[in-house]
Amino acid sequence: NAGVTQTPKFQVLKTGQSMTLQCAQDMNHEYMSWYRQDPGMGLRLIHYSVGAGITDQGEVPNGYNVSRSTTEDFPLRLLSAAPSQTSVYFCASSYSRDSSSPLHFGNGTRLTVT
Amino acid sequence: AQKVTQVQTEISVVEKEDVTLDCVYETRDTTYYLFWYKQPPSGELVFLIRRNSFDEQNEISGRYSWNFQKSTSSFNFTITASQVVDSAVYFCALSSGGSNYKLTFGKGTLLTVNP
């Protein structure tokens, strides 16, 4: 099992550019989510999905879109990158949406927007 | 609203010392889960432990132990005989109502274990 795979590991964008951060899991997990990690802020939830075709907003959704066409994949799209989106992004999944299932994290994507 | 406060922002110890990371939480729910995650310098996040609100038993796993006290809303993490490999950022997290999309992380405690 590869677990949760995120690509790319690093990315530099110019302001206004768009891009997609990829996330895939091979554990047949129902729940998937995206977090951003900023210094001194902990992890904040951007978007989440409780199953294929179902997504919802988290704490900091502005500037990001997601979709969940398959159980395995949960890409995060930056529509028009801004310097405030410079961050480390983590994708996480769990067997169910229930908190009895702990999150499994990918290795993160470090994004810099200039 | 729920909140997680990790009391120490940074801790520095010398190898073999014991160290405790304090976590205080706030929630109005009676059903909730508490977690600790470890983020070593390589950057990945690793699940360490989960506790539900109905189970106040302390837990020990090797050199790691966790003390959950509902009376003080605390879920503290102790490393006994610390090692350099324990150097990491440790996150405490709370999920109220039992849903992962209601998971709130603390801001993390950076633990540095010096040889």
Side-chain angles (χ1 to χ4, degrees):
Chain A
N1 277 356
V4 179
T5 303
Q6 287 184 238
T7 56
K9 289 187 178 179
F10 301 94
Q11 183 72 49
V12 178
L13 291 178
K14 292 188 185 329
T15 297
Q17 287 184 317
S18 62
M19 78 158 295
T20 299
L21 306 185
Q22 301 292 345
C23 175
Q25 51 91 8
D26 61 358
M27 299 173 283
N28 200 31
H29 281 177
E30 172 186 85
Y31 179 82
M32 296 186 75
S33 55
W34 277 101
Y35 287 87
R36 61 177 288 173
Q37 182 180 18
D38 302 292
M41 300 290 289
L43 284 91
R44 293 182 291 168
L45 181 64
I46 304 171
H47 284 285
Y48 65 92
S49 168
V50 298
I54 307 169
T55 64
D56 207 342
Q57 296 180 352
E59 181 185 354
V60 289
N62 292 342
Y64 307 96
N65 271 359
V66 292
S67 60
R68 183 103 178 264
S69 56
T70 66
T71 300
E72 295 78 19
D73 299 301
F74 190 45
L76 177 73
R77 295 183 194 83
L78 280 70
L79 309 173
S80 176
S84 60
Q85 293 178 305
T86 293
S87 187
V88 180
Y89 291 85
F90 287 96
C91 179
S93 71
S94 61
Y95 179 72
S96 80
R97 72 190 72 179
D98 192 292
S99 289
S100 62
S101 303
L103 293 175
H104 297 255
F105 285 86
N107 287 337
T109 296
R110 185 174 293 274
L111 175 69
T112 302
V113 182
T114 60
Chain B
Q2 58 187 43
K3 186 177 178 182
V4 175
T5 301
Q6 292 187 243
V7 176
Q8 303 94 352
T9 304
E10 295 187 36
I11 301 176
S12 182
V13 299
V14 176
E15 213 170 12
K16 298 185 183 175
E17 284 186 25
D18 298 347
V19 57
T20 296
L21 284 61
D22 297 314
C23 174
V24 177
Y25 63 91
E26 295 176 27
T27 179
R28 293 180 183 171
D29 288 314
T30 55
T31 300
Y32 53 90
Y33 286 83
L34 293 160
F35 303 82
W36 278 96
Y37 285 86
K38 175 182 180 180
Q39 186 175 41
S42 49
E44 75 274 19
L45 281 144
V46 178
F47 165 74
L48 293 178
I49 191 171
R50 175 191 65 242
R51 261 286 175 267
N52 73 52
S53 51
F54 300 108
D55 182 2
E56 284 194 75
Q57 272 195 325
N58 291 333
E59 180 147 342
I60 298 175
S61 176
R63 296 183 296 106
Y64 294 174
S65 62
W66 291 269
N67 182 357
F68 175 29
Q69 291 195 332
K70 285 178 79 170
S71 60
T72 56
S73 298
S74 64
F75 186 42
N76 298 333
F77 174 29
T78 297
I79 303 174
T80 302
S82 59
Q83 300 176 1
V84 172
V85 294
D86 295 326
S87 296
V89 179
Y90 291 87
F91 290 97
C92 179
L94 163 71
S95 177
S96 284
S99 299
N100 273 338
Y101 47 82
K102 294 185 180 178
L103 189 64
T104 298
F105 284 84
K107 295 183 178 180
T109 296
L110 172 62
L111 173 65
T112 302
V113 181
N114 298 298

